[in-house]
Amino acid sequence: MPYFDAASAAPLHPIARQALLASLDEGWADPARLYREGRRARMLLDAAREAAAEVVGCRADELVFTSSGTRAVHSGIAGTLAGRRRTGRHLIVSAVEHSSVLHSAEVFEADGGAVTRVPVRRSGAVTVEAYEGALRPDTALACLQSANHEVGTEQPVAAVAEVCREAGVPLLVDAAQSLGWGPVEGPWSLLAASAHKWGGPSGVGLLVVRKGVRFAAQGPADERESGRAAGFENLPAIVAAAASLRAVRAEAAAEAVRLRELTERIRARVPELVPDVEVVGDPERRLPGVVTFSCLYVDGETLLHELDREGFSVSSGSSCTSSTLTPSHVLRAMGVLSEGNVRVSLPPGAAEEDVERFLAVLPGAVAGVREKLGAPAPVAQVRDPGEDALVVDALGKRCPIPVIELAKVIGDVPVGGTVRVLSDDEAARLDIPAWCAMRGQEYVGEEPADRGSAYLVRRLG
């Protein structure tokens, strides 16, 4: 079964498996003890740290292992904000950061801190000028991912890091998605990553804090991992994580070329094979194996189930796949279509024939979902007296039904007339403007309504 969700978790690399099994026999003792078994465990831990530091491009004593990438982010942000409290209580993040960063920002804000959320362009990338403009005399820390988890867009980390360095502000980089592909360039100050993203075992993260960064570890003191990651080290998993990081980095250059060709094939052919599709994310500055697209008139969760039945494991940022029924914060920040969203993230070694079969299966899966959702449904339509306007009541109906019903009735008003869509689904705030852009209609704006919101669309043709 083709697994196309490597951005969530990459399959365990063969080197990781070998290292894990070997270290289960050799690395079970406490590396803090002085007897023979402890010394052997300490040697394995030190070797893993040195190997990981070499790949990252830092000193071994700057790197600690954590229980996850999320824990590394939380610890890095909290420790730096506490260490630089005298500088000020201002934090900068991008609007498309991983939830671990955004949740840390929310906690900081609730505790009285100030947070600036830097917007992104439609490609999902920030501008260096936006980060530079967000810097203040009281800025304690800035955060920026190296590449986006959902759409694969790479960020201008090196340039932002240089701007932050000149301002005397440390930059924390979430490198979870990119570290297996190459080093993070620029004068960054902190870095966090997660082993299961590059083919290591789950439950291992790493946090790098450069020398000179004021850092105060939070929580009860612990003598392990320089006091920055409490608890007994999962040594076999750490050894496997470091070994697999070296292995995937050695293979990265050749594999990146191959995967870029496959994802470019998907980016080019999906709009040819499936009508009414928006491919999102930067077309050039992107991770090698990630491609994301959204399909009009499609329920994202239903589409994922259809593709699963055909043997393909993919993910989605569509609101339909979320228990909160709200669109992905990344898609929302980008201002792109959220309904029917599919993220394909190819793991190293993905087969060309599997990509071709995916492209063969996708049109039928999308058509099937659209057919199910396009069946005649009761729609309350009321012509405004004396006006060339139509009201579509889509209250209580979830994505993509409001857009489908809009599409059905837009032809019933004359050119210049309007359709007023009533919806209480958060996704409509993204999907209706996106539909207008794709179909050549004018999105007039949003108005408050008794329930939900009213979205005004003017027919242009």
Side-chain angles (χ1 to χ4, degrees):
M1 178 174 178
Y3 177 77
F4 288 175
D5 194 22
S8 293
L12 193 66
H13 193 282
I15 294 296
R17 184 183 301 276
Q18 294 172 17
L20 181 64
L21 293 176
S23 56
L24 285 172
D25 293 330
E26 297 293 328
W28 51 268
D30 186 347
R33 301 306 172 196
L34 299 180
Y35 42 70
R36 180 180 57 189
E37 294 84 357
R39 294 196 305 271
R40 185 184 301 130
R42 167 57 63 179
M43 290 175 62
L44 289 173
L45 179 59
D46 290 345
R49 195 185 316 278
E50 290 173 3
E54 181 182 3
V55 175
V56 172
C58 66
R59 293 170 39 153
D61 58 356
E62 294 175 329
L63 186 150
V64 299
F65 293 105
T66 66
S67 59
S68 68
T70 294
R71 173 54 60 191
V73 166
H74 290 172
S75 299
I77 292 177
T80 308
L81 291 173
R84 288 175 49 82
R85 189 182 182 95
R86 290 184 179 180
T87 299
R89 303 207 67 206
H90 177 232
L91 170 66
I92 301 173
V93 300
S94 84
V96 294
E97 292 298 310
H98 187 266
S99 58
S100 60
V101 174
L102 298 182
H103 291 162
S104 293
E106 291 169 0
V107 170
F108 179 63
E109 205 168 28
D111 192 40
V115 178
T116 296
R117 295 169 177 84
V118 177
V120 297
R121 294 173 294 187
R122 194 172 177 84
S123 66
V126 302
T127 65
V128 179
E129 295 74 18
Y131 259 77
E132 188 172 22
L135 291 167
R136 305 185 335 199
D138 63 339
T139 301
L141 175 66
C143 301
L144 181 62
Q145 60 195 196
S146 56
N148 187 259
H149 295 251
E150 291 190 29
V151 300
T153 296
E154 293 178 335
Q155 302 289 357
V157 170
V160 170
E162 184 61 38
V163 166
C164 290
R165 185 191 64 79
E166 293 175 357
V169 174
L171 177 70
L172 182 148
V173 179
D174 168 18
Q177 289 295 338
S178 73
L179 191 59
W181 295 110
V184 178
E185 304 293 343
W188 49 267
S189 302
L190 299 98
L191 181 144
S194 187
H196 73 276
K197 301 288 189 178
W198 66 65
S202 58
V204 178
L206 59 84
L207 171 65
V208 178
V209 182
R210 295 282 200 191
K211 294 296 181 182
V213 176
R214 295 187 64 85
F215 189 93
Q218 299 301 285
D222 193 288
E223 70 278 5
R224 298 180 185 273
E225 292 301 297
S226 304
R228 294 173 182 169
F232 196 96
E233 298 93 343
N234 184 350
L235 187 52
I238 287 172
V239 171
S244 59
L245 180 57
R246 291 184 65 176
V248 298
R249 184 68 73 79
E251 303 161 354
E255 189 62 15
V257 172
R258 201 180 68 85
L259 290 187
R260 283 191 191 280
E261 192 281 327
L262 293 177
T263 51
E264 285 302 318
R265 191 181 307 183
I266 296 172
R267 286 181 64 87
R269 289 181 57 187
V270 165
E272 298 173 354
L273 297 169
V274 182
D276 299 317
V277 165
E278 180 180 12
V279 182
V280 302
D282 195 290
E284 296 179 358
R285 290 183 54 84
R286 57 185 305 99
L287 292 171
V290 179
V291 56
T292 305
F293 54 89
S294 299
C295 308
L296 274 177
Y297 318 134
V298 169
D299 178 317
E301 184 173 8
T302 303
L303 178 57
L304 263 58
H305 286 316
E306 290 296 323
L307 292 171
D308 182 48
R309 291 190 188 98
E310 295 289 346
F312 292 96
S313 302
V314 297
S315 64
S316 172
S318 172
S319 60
C320 311
T321 63
S322 167
S323 60
T324 63
L325 293 175
T326 58
S328 146
H329 72 278
V330 173
L331 301 179
R332 185 166 63 243
M334 294 168 63
V336 297
L337 181 68
S338 72
E339 66 185 51
N341 179 260
V342 174
R343 181 188 67 184
V344 176
S345 49
L346 305 177
E352 180 180 3
E353 53 267 30
D354 288 337
V355 171
E356 286 296 328
R357 193 168 75 82
F358 174 79
L359 291 170
V361 163
L362 181 66
V366 173
V369 174
R370 284 174 172 168
E371 183 178 1
K372 292 176 184 177
L373 294 174
V379 182
Q381 302 179 19
V382 181
R383 183 80 63 177
D384 283 353
E387 296 184 16
D388 290 328
L390 195 68
V391 177
V392 172
D393 185 353
L395 292 168
K397 298 173 183 177
R398 299 303 176 190
C399 71
I401 300 301
V403 176
I404 290 176
E405 295 185 348
L406 167 62
K408 286 180 179 179
V409 303
I410 190 69
D412 294 344
V413 298
V415 173
T418 61
V419 176
R420 192 166 183 261
V421 183
L422 303 178
S423 176
D424 50 5
D425 182 6
E426 179 70 20
R429 186 167 285 113
L430 271 183
D431 293 346
I432 291 177
W435 178 89
C436 292
M438 295 175 71
R439 306 303 294 187
Q441 308 297 344
E442 180 186 355
Y443 177 65
V444 178
E446 177 184 351
E447 297 178 350
D450 292 339
R451 284 179 54 203
S453 298
Y455 302 92
L456 274 64
V457 176
R458 179 175 289 112
R459 182 184 176 193
L460 300 182

